[in-house]
Amino acid sequence: MRATIMYGAGDVRVENVPDPSIVEPTDAILRVVRACICGSDLWPYHDMTPSDAGQSMGHEAIGVVEAVGRDVRTVKPGQVVIMPFAISDGTCTFCREGLPTACVHGGFVGNGGMNGAQAEALRIPFADGTLYAIDVTESDARLPGLLTLSDVMGTGHHAAVVARVAPGHRVVVVGDGAVGLCGVIAAKRLGAEQVILMGRHEDRIALARAFGATDVVPERGEEGVARVRELTGGHGAHSVLECVGTGEAIKTCVAVVRPGGAIGRVGVPHYPAIPGADTMFFKNAIVGGGPAPVRAYIRELLPEVLEGKIDPGRVFDSIVGLDGVPDGYRAMDERKAIKVLVTP
Amino acid sequence: MRATIMYGAGDVRVENVPDPSIVEPTDAILRVVRACICGSDLWPYHDMTPSDAGQSMGHEAIGVVEAVGRDVRTVKPGQVVIMPFAISDGTCTFCREGLPTACVHGGFVGNGGMNGAQAEALRIPFADGTLYAIDVTESDARLPGLLTLSDVMGTGHHAAVVARVAPGHRVVVVGDGAVGLCGVIAAKRLGAEQVILMGRHEDRIALARAFGATDVVPERGEEGVARVRELTGGHGAHSVLECVGTGEAIKTCVAVVRPGGAIGRVGVPHYPAIPGADTMFFKNAIVGGGPAPVRAYIRELLPEVLEGKIDPGRVFDSIVGLDGVPDGYRAMDERKAIKVLVTP
C-alpha cells in the first residue's frame, strides 16, 4: 500500500510500504477514508535532519475498521471511526482521568515503528481505547468536520479549556492556523464575549470572523501587545490560547494575559522555558496545556459537529489525493492553504 | 516612633522615624501589636545593594486602629485588625474578583514611601479595603495564629489552591520554611492523602509532621526527584507547592509534578523563566501562583484558627521586641529560627 514518508526538511514522498497487519491481539487495522496535514507536520518539514529510514507522517484520520485482533471488544470491522492522534489503552489511571495523551501504554500515531495516517491504511494499537466509533457512512458530507475531532478542533478546545474560557471572558487567540481558528470556535462556544485573533493572513482572518472572532490584531511583538491592551480595557485577556509554539508567541501570551488569567498552550513548544517567571508571578496568571486529550473531548464536541452547530471542517480549504500530499505540504508551508484534506 | 530599616545586605537597624499620620481620607493609622519577619525579607538581607535612604521592613501585622480618615467607613478606632501584606481598595475589578494583590490602586506594605510593619505603627492606605477586623483583644493567646493570616498561612493556602489540592491527592511541598509548613497545613485541610515535604531541617521537619506531612524527602536535585517518584508510585504528585523561589526549587517542581498535575508557586521567583517548557507540555501540567490574595482567604481560614482546628501560629519559634529585630533576621538567616514574632 502507499504511505507518506518524510526523509528530511522539505522532502516528503509517497511510497509503497508493506500492508499493516494485526500484531497484538488488541490491534485493529484501519483503512483511511480521510486524513490531513497538520500544522505540527510543518516543524519537521522545516528542520528535520536527513534520515535514510524516514519518518512516517500523518496522525489525524477518519477510517473504516478492516480487521481487529482477538482481544478487541468494542470496535468492530466495518465501523467508521475517528482516530485521535494519541494511542491510549482506555484503562490506565490517566485514561480514566480523561488524559489519554498521558496513557502509560500510549504513544503518538506515526511513531514507534507504525506508519502514519497520510496513507491507505495503518495499524492501531489498543483499538478499543484509541478509536471512537461514529454512526455515519464513509461518504457523509460531514466527514471534514468529524476529522477535526481527531486533532485540531479538540486541540483548539483544549487550549480554551486550559485557558479557562468562561462566559463573559475576553479571549486572545495567538496564531491563525487551523488550531487557532478552532480555538476561536471553542472560545465562542464556551461563552467568550470578546475573541481577539492575533494573525495576519486574509483568508484565515475571514474564517476567524465567520467563526466568531470579534477583533483581529495583525501587529506582532510589542505593538501587538499594546493593541491587545487597548482592546481589553488596559488589563489584558482573561484567557489566552497559544496556538503557535514559538518563543515569540509564548512571550506575547505572557504579556497579554490579565492578572488572574490563564494561558492554554497547544502549540508544540519550540522554546526551552516559559518566559516571564516574575511577570506571570505578579499577575498571578497560570499557564498550562499540552497535547490535547482529544478523545476525551469527542463526546462533548461530536453532537455539535453532527448537528452543524459548529463547523470546524471549514478549516480545510484544499483537498488532495495521496499523490498530492507533497504538494499539500508545500501549500501549507507557503500559507497558500490553511489546512489540506487528504482522500487516500 | 521606632521602625526597622534595611540599609543593605545584612544591615538591619531599628531607628527613630516620624510618627505616621493620616494623609488621604481613606487612610488609617495602625498601632502594631504583633509583627514578624518573613522568609521573603531574607532575599534583600542577602543581596540588597547598599542604600542611604534604606528600605522600611515588615509586611505582616496584627494591630489596633488608632485613627481613621474621614472617608473610612467600616474600620473603626479601637478595633483589632489583621493587616494583609497587600494594600487593596476593596472596590476595583480585581478586588471584587478575589484578587486584591492585583488591585489597580494597590501596593505592598513597606513600599511607596510608607514605613513597614516591623515598627510601632504605620499608615494604611485604603483602610476599608485592606484591613480585616477581628473580634479578639490585643492580649488574645491566638494572636500568633491570627498573625499568619496576614501572610504565611494565606500564602501556603494559595499555593495549595493553585496546585489544585483535592481529596485523595498526592502533594509535594518544596521548601520547609514557614510558608512551606503552612502549605502542609493547607494541603492537609484540603484533603490531601499524601503530603511529602522536601526539606532537611530537623525542627521544621518535626513541625511538618505535626501539621500532617506523611513523608519527608531531605535529598535535593535528581536524587530528591527520584525519591518523590518512588513515594508516589512512579507518576509524581498531583499537586506541587513551590515555597522557595529559587531556580533549583522550580526545576524540582517541574520534575515531580504528575501528568495532568499542577504547580502552585508562592516563592518570589529568583529565576528568569519557568524551566521545562516541553516537559510541562508533554505532561499537560499547569503552573500558576503569585503573591497570595490573603485578604480574600481570611474569611475561610479565620474560623479554623479561632477554633484551634489549625494552628499555624506554631511556625513562630522565637519572639523578639523591636530592638531584637536585627537578631531575629540573623537567627532566621542562619536557620536557627523558623519564623520570628515581633512584639513592638
Side-chain angles (χ1 to χ4, degrees):
Chain A
M1 64 149 201
R2 293 169 68 69
T4 303
I5 320 274
M6 188 182 288
Y7 286 94
D11 184 6
V12 174
R13 306 179 210 166
V14 178
E15 301 189 330
N16 287 315
V17 301
D19 285 351
S21 58
I22 301 285
V23 177
E24 302 291 336
T26 47
D27 287 350
I29 301 302
L30 189 71
R31 175 169 56 80
V32 178
V33 174
R34 295 286 185 282
C36 51
I37 302 172
C38 183
S40 70
D41 294 336
L42 296 181
W43 287 111
Y45 191 74
H46 281 151
D47 62 15
M48 182 178 167
T49 311
S51 147
D52 287 340
Q55 167 66 45
S56 194
M57 300 300 296
H59 53 260
E60 302 154 278
I62 297 283
V64 173
V65 177
E66 295 281 281
V68 298
R70 67 172 187 276
D71 289 349
V72 173
R73 294 280 171 272
T74 57
V75 168
K76 294 185 190 350
Q79 274 181 335
V80 175
V81 296
I82 297 170
M83 182 209 76
F85 66 86
I87 294 155
S88 53
D89 67 14
T91 58
C92 81
T93 180
F94 297 107
C95 285
R96 288 199 311 271
E97 287 172 17
L99 194 61
T101 42
C103 174
V104 298
H105 297 114
F108 296 105
V109 170
N111 295 304
M114 290 164 284
N115 66 275
Q118 290 158 9
E120 291 182 64
L122 71 166
R123 175 169 79 88
I124 306 290
F126 299 107
D128 284 333
T130 302
L131 301 174
Y132 193 106
I134 49 177
D135 190 19
V136 301
T137 68
E138 59 179 292
S139 59
D140 196 290
R142 297 166 296 185
L143 289 194
L146 296 168
L147 176 60
T148 68
L149 299 182
S150 71
D151 188 345
V152 278
M153 183 60 221
T155 295
H157 179 68
H158 188 52
V161 167
V162 174
R164 301 183 177 178
V165 176
H169 272 197
R170 297 175 186 272
V171 176
V172 169
V173 178
V174 177
D176 61 6
V179 169
L181 294 170
C182 289
V184 171
I185 296 176
K188 195 74 190 173
R189 70 178 282 286
L190 290 171
E193 185 176 295
Q194 182 181 35
V195 181
I196 303 169
L197 179 79
M198 297 189 79
R200 47 171 64 191
H201 299 90
E202 282 310 320
D203 52 343
R204 295 160 188 226
I205 287 172
L207 193 50
R209 289 202 187 273
F211 284 162
T214 54
D215 303 273
V216 173
V217 172
E219 294 89 352
R220 291 185 182 175
E222 284 179 26
E223 220 183 331
V225 170
R227 186 79 190 103
V228 169
R229 287 248 174 79
E230 237 175 69
L231 287 167
T232 54
H235 295 311
H238 299 87
S239 302
V240 182
L241 284 56
E242 200 298 298
C243 305
V244 181
T246 61
E248 191 191 330
I250 188 71
K251 204 174 143 193
T252 297
C253 294
V254 167
V256 301
V257 71
R258 184 180 190 275
I263 299 169
R265 295 190 298 155
V266 291
V268 180
H270 284 66
Y271 47 88
I274 299 164
D278 52 350
T279 304
M280 290 293 288
F281 187 84
F282 286 102
K283 282 187 185 182
N284 250 301
I286 76 153
V287 53
V294 298
R295 194 185 191 286
Y297 293 140
I298 293 176
R299 187 187 297 269
E300 177 177 348
L301 300 172
L302 180 64
E304 298 190 23
V305 172
L306 289 174
E307 294 163 20
K309 279 193 187 167
I310 59 174
D311 195 5
R314 291 177 68 186
V315 297
F316 295 109
D317 58 348
S318 173
I319 302 181
V320 297
L322 213 43
D323 288 337
V325 166
D327 288 339
Y329 273 80
R330 206 166 303 122
M332 277 178 64
D333 186 46
E334 293 170 357
R335 302 290 186 267
K336 288 179 183 162
I338 300 176
K339 191 169 176 74
V340 175
L341 188 73
V342 180
T343 56
Chain B
M1 64 148 201
R2 291 168 71 70
T4 303
I5 320 276
M6 189 182 287
Y7 286 94
D11 183 6
V12 174
R13 306 179 209 165
V14 179
E15 300 188 331
N16 287 313
V17 302
D19 286 350
S21 57
I22 301 285
V23 177
E24 301 291 336
T26 47
D27 287 350
I29 301 303
L30 188 72
R31 175 168 56 81
V32 177
V33 174
R34 295 286 185 283
C36 51
I37 303 172
C38 184
S40 70
D41 294 335
L42 297 181
W43 287 110
Y45 192 72
H46 281 149
D47 62 16
M48 181 177 166
T49 311
S51 147
D52 287 340
Q55 167 66 45
S56 194
M57 299 301 296
H59 53 258
E60 302 155 279
I62 298 282
V64 174
V65 177
E66 293 281 281
V68 297
R70 65 172 187 277
D71 290 348
V72 174
R73 294 280 171 269
T74 57
V75 168
K76 295 185 189 352
Q79 273 180 334
V80 174
V81 297
I82 297 169
M83 182 208 77
F85 66 85
I87 293 155
S88 53
D89 67 14
T91 58
C92 81
T93 179
F94 297 106
C95 285
R96 287 198 312 269
E97 287 172 17
L99 195 60
T101 43
C103 174
V104 297
H105 297 114
F108 297 106
V109 169
N111 295 302
M114 288 164 284
N115 67 275
Q118 290 159 9
E120 290 181 66
L122 72 164
R123 175 169 80 88
I124 306 289
F126 299 106
D128 284 332
T130 303
L131 300 174
Y132 193 105
I134 49 176
D135 191 22
V136 300
T137 68
E138 60 181 291
S139 59
D140 196 292
R142 298 166 297 185
L143 290 193
L146 296 167
L147 175 60
T148 67
L149 299 181
S150 70
D151 189 345
V152 278
M153 184 59 223
T155 295
H157 178 68
H158 187 53
V161 167
V162 173
R164 301 182 177 179
V165 176
H169 272 197
R170 297 176 187 271
V171 177
V172 169
V173 177
V174 177
D176 61 6
V179 168
L181 294 170
C182 288
V184 171
I185 297 176
K188 196 74 190 174
R189 70 178 284 286
L190 290 170
E193 185 176 294
Q194 182 181 36
V195 181
I196 303 169
L197 179 78
M198 296 189 79
R200 49 172 61 192
H201 299 89
E202 282 309 320
D203 52 343
R204 296 162 187 225
I205 287 172
L207 194 49
R209 290 203 185 272
F211 284 162
T214 53
D215 303 272
V216 173
V217 172
E219 295 89 352
R220 291 185 183 175
E222 285 178 26
E223 220 183 331
V225 169
R227 186 78 191 103
V228 169
R229 286 247 174 79
E230 236 175 69
L231 287 168
T232 54
H235 295 311
H238 299 88
S239 303
V240 182
L241 284 57
E242 199 299 297
C243 306
V244 181
T246 60
E248 191 191 329
I250 188 72
K251 204 174 143 193
T252 298
C253 293
V254 167
V256 301
V257 71
R258 184 181 191 276
I263 299 169
R265 295 191 297 157
V266 293
V268 179
H270 284 65
Y271 47 88
I274 299 164
D278 52 349
T279 305
M280 290 294 287
F281 186 84
F282 286 101
K283 282 188 186 182
N284 251 302
I286 76 153
V287 52
V294 297
R295 194 184 190 287
Y297 293 139
I298 293 176
R299 187 187 298 268
E300 177 176 349
L301 300 173
L302 180 63
E304 298 191 24
V305 172
L306 289 174
E307 293 162 20
K309 279 192 189 167
I310 59 173
D311 195 4
R314 291 176 68 187
V315 296
F316 296 109
D317 58 347
S318 172
I319 303 180
V320 297
L322 213 41
D323 289 335
V325 167
D327 288 337
Y329 273 81
R330 205 167 302 122
M332 278 179 64
D333 186 46
E334 293 170 357
R335 302 291 186 265
K336 289 180 182 161
I338 300 176
K339 192 169 175 74
V340 175
L341 187 74
V342 180
T343 56

